[in-house]
Amino acid sequence: MGLLEGKVAIVSGAARGQGRAHALRLAREGADIIAIDICADIDTVDYPLATPEDLDDTVAQVELLGRRVAASETDVRDATAVAAAIDTGVAKLGRLDIVVANAGIAMYDAADTMSAQSWRDMIDTNLTGVWIVCRGAMPHIEDGRGGAMVLISSVAAHVGMLHLSHYSAAKAGVVGLMRALAVELAPHAIRVNTIHPTSVTQR
Ligand SMILES: NC(=O)c1ccc[n+]([C@@H]2O[C@H](COP(=O)([O-])OP(=O)(O)OC[C@H]3O[C@@H](n4cnc5c(N)ncnc54)[C@H](O)[C@@H]3O)[C@@H](O)[C@H]2O)c1
């Protein structure tokens, strides 16, 4: 028996990287997975985001572990689409216990020349998108069983890093969000924590 047998987790940004690793680790412990990812590029992000094929690979790897998946190409900036993806996933998999709000972007941009669109895309994805995923999950976890929310922040929430003002602001915002949600959701037995990775590269 895995630690999470019979549980269901949503992972945002699940198509590749740390999101895929989180999905596979949760699945190895017995959880079924609601996997969402934008699977498209964002104009202000200067590197390609995941593809539909990446998300398909995550689905195949979770299924190889014997777990079920509800996957969708969903942008965490779109509250209506995220709520619908979570509702559809819960309808398929039966419940929701765990949130890993992992989807994120990271581009270097000097504060004095950064475009307002670049700032907005960062905050919308890395901060508002985290709230949107938590918000979409809340009605499904607040049913008395309890659960856990893990919000992926960064070491950049704690230390100043060159040309990452928008990223640092978003990731520090995630810490404030975590603290507020932890208080608000404690009566529902839902734990809320942040994780602060340093540099992580894909193998
Ligand atoms: N890689 C690092 O060194 C590092 C360090 C600290 C924190 N982090 C954080 O860890 C998380 C995962 O990063 P990673 O290293 O795996 O990066 P990654 O680029 O490999 O993965 C991020 C995933 O999020 C998806 N995504 C981006 N914007 C989205 C949106 N609007 N809606 C839905 N999905 C979206 C991408 O398509 C991609 O699949 C991010 O929140 C990132 O900020 C990464």
Side-chain angles (χ1 to χ4, degrees):
M1 282 276 283
L3 289 171
L4 303 174
E5 214 68 46
K7 310 258 190 214
V8 176
I10 173 164
V11 181
S12 66
R16 72 178 189 199
Q18 295 176 70
R20 176 186 284 168
H22 297 318
L24 295 179
R25 178 76 175 121
L26 292 160
R28 249 179 238 117
E29 291 294 345
D32 291 330
I33 306 295
I34 300 171
I36 66 171
D37 201 293
I38 188 172
C39 296
D41 292 342
I42 296 175
D43 285 348
T44 53
V45 179
D46 55 4
Y47 59 91
L49 298 177
T51 63
E53 292 72 30
D54 291 326
L55 187 58
D56 289 344
D57 279 354
T58 297
V59 169
Q61 291 187 44
V62 170
E63 288 176 344
L64 261 181
L65 294 166
R67 304 319 317 173
R68 293 182 301 156
V69 198
S72 66
E73 293 173 25
T74 304
D75 186 337
V76 295
R77 297 172 294 178
D78 183 340
T80 306
V82 168
I86 294 175
D87 292 351
T88 302
V90 171
K92 177 177 178 184
L93 303 176
R95 56 190 280 164
L96 185 60
D97 306 275
I98 297 160
V99 174
V100 182
N102 162 84
I105 54 175
M107 55 278 190
Y108 293 90
D109 225 334
D112 55 354
T113 53
M114 180 189 305
S115 70
Q117 193 58 49
S118 186
W119 175 274
R120 279 195 204 99
D121 287 342
M122 180 67 77
I123 301 297
D124 287 353
T125 301
N126 286 18
L127 176 56
T128 310
V130 171
W131 171 74
I132 283 173
V133 171
C134 294
R135 173 70 186 82
M138 279 175 210
H140 299 289
I141 313 185
E142 286 171 344
D143 67 355
R145 281 195 315 263
M149 294 188 173
V150 181
L151 317 187
I152 307 303
S153 178
S154 165
V155 69
H158 298 310
V159 296
M161 299 176 90
L162 192 63
H163 296 161
L164 282 177
S165 58
H166 50 355
Y167 183 83
S168 295
K171 293 299 189 181
V174 168
V175 175
L177 175 64
M178 172 272 291
R179 291 195 176 118
L181 289 182
V183 171
E184 201 168 323
L185 297 178
H188 300 281
I190 301 170
R191 279 182 289 111
V192 189
N193 293 97
T194 48
I195 289 180
H196 298 258
T198 55
S199 277
V200 181
T201 50
Q202 294 185 47
R203 276 186 285 175

